[in-house]
Amino acid sequence: MVETNSQHQPNEDDTVVFLTRHGARIDSDDHRWLAKCSHNRANDPHLSPAGEIGAVELAQKMKELQTAEDGWKSLHIVSSPYIRCMETAHAVAQALNASIKVEPGIAEVNSSRRPDFLDAVELKQKFPSIDTSYIPAMNREELSVEYSDGVCAQRSANAARIVTERLGVKGGPILFVGHGASCLGVAGQFGHGGYIGYTSLSKFVREGDNW
């Protein structure tokens, strides 16, 4: 089901934004997941089998929406750099033949001086659809240590605002792929304050100066 903030039917001059949260994480099912991985990034778990299914279902839903809305020229997929988000974004990118823009500005709550995620060039080795020419709203070096979901949400809202201003209606809708706290901020930027569940899908349409 797609939750929308408007009954307005978008036209080619409207800015349309979709928002989703990554699929279910492997560390919820397997507490020994890190010992089985080829890396030691404790805050960067991949998707669980259920999360992978959720990502595929999300991709199918996005494909259905593209068809129902007479096709988009393209889709801007803007994702947090954490693997669970990248895997979720990748499923959509494959289904819609789209590229992924890596955006640290909507990453997970940052609890360390060195955020525990890979850079876009490193991620591209596993996710070839990444657009390495994309200039993010916020770089890794600009992320400060955060002590609450609220601080992360505020940072993510600002990043979403910048990204939306830059991309606007260029080529098609924007899909943000984030985390619990960052999705809270992104949703708030577009006038929604509700909970964002795993691979749920929310849609926002700009009507004049309002969403």
Side-chain angles (χ1 to χ4, degrees):
M1 179 178 179
V2 181
E3 181 180 350
T4 180
N5 73 325
S6 174
Q7 297 303 313
H8 170 69
Q9 294 300 313
N11 58 55
E12 62 181 11
D13 295 322
D14 288 328
T15 299
V16 177
V17 171
F18 292 99
L19 171 63
T20 192
R21 182 179 175 185
H22 60 76
R25 304 161 47 142
I26 188 63
D27 54 342
S28 296
D29 294 345
D30 183 358
H31 298 304
R32 291 181 50 78
W33 72 274
L34 189 58
K36 303 173 185 177
C37 283
S38 59
H39 65 78
N40 61 355
R41 302 187 307 278
N43 195 38
D44 199 12
H46 53 277
L47 296 178
S48 67
E52 292 174 354
I53 292 172
V56 170
E57 291 175 344
L58 171 69
Q60 292 171 342
K61 173 55 67 176
M62 291 297 298
K63 187 68 174 178
E64 291 171 6
L65 288 170
Q66 182 189 42
T67 301
E69 296 179 6
D70 297 324
W72 307 314
K73 297 176 183 177
S74 63
L75 174 70
H76 299 289
I77 304 176
V78 180
S79 176
S80 158
Y82 284 97
I83 292 296
R84 52 195 179 276
C85 288
M86 292 303 308
E87 289 178 332
T88 304
H90 180 65
V92 179
Q94 284 192 309
L96 277 74
N97 192 29
S99 61
I100 302 171
K101 297 170 173 60
V102 180
E103 180 52 67
I106 62 169
E108 180 66 282
V109 176
N110 182 37
S111 58
S112 68
R113 295 184 182 279
R114 177 70 178 175
D116 205 11
F117 58 75
L118 297 176
D119 293 322
V121 173
E122 298 171 299
L123 287 167
K124 191 175 177 67
Q125 297 177 26
K126 182 175 182 180
F127 306 104
S129 55
I130 287 176
D131 176 8
T132 53
S133 69
Y134 171 72
I135 300 174
M138 181 173 287
N139 294 311
R140 176 198 295 271
E141 293 73 22
E142 297 175 278
L143 296 175
S144 58
V145 178
E146 297 165 339
Y147 298 98
S148 70
D149 287 358
V151 175
C152 172
Q154 184 177 15
R155 176 252 297 162
S156 300
N158 186 54
R161 176 185 59 78
I162 294 171
V163 170
T164 305
E165 288 175 353
R166 288 178 180 175
L167 298 180
V169 295
K170 298 176 182 177
I174 302 168
L175 170 66
F176 287 101
V177 185
H179 308 262
S182 65
C183 281
L184 183 65
V186 175
Q189 173 61 29
F190 304 116
H192 178 73
Y195 173 78
I196 304 297
Y198 288 145
T199 58
S200 62
L201 189 61
S202 297
K203 179 181 179 180
F204 309 95
V205 180
R206 175 180 281 163
E207 301 176 34
D209 294 330
N210 300 313
W211 290 90

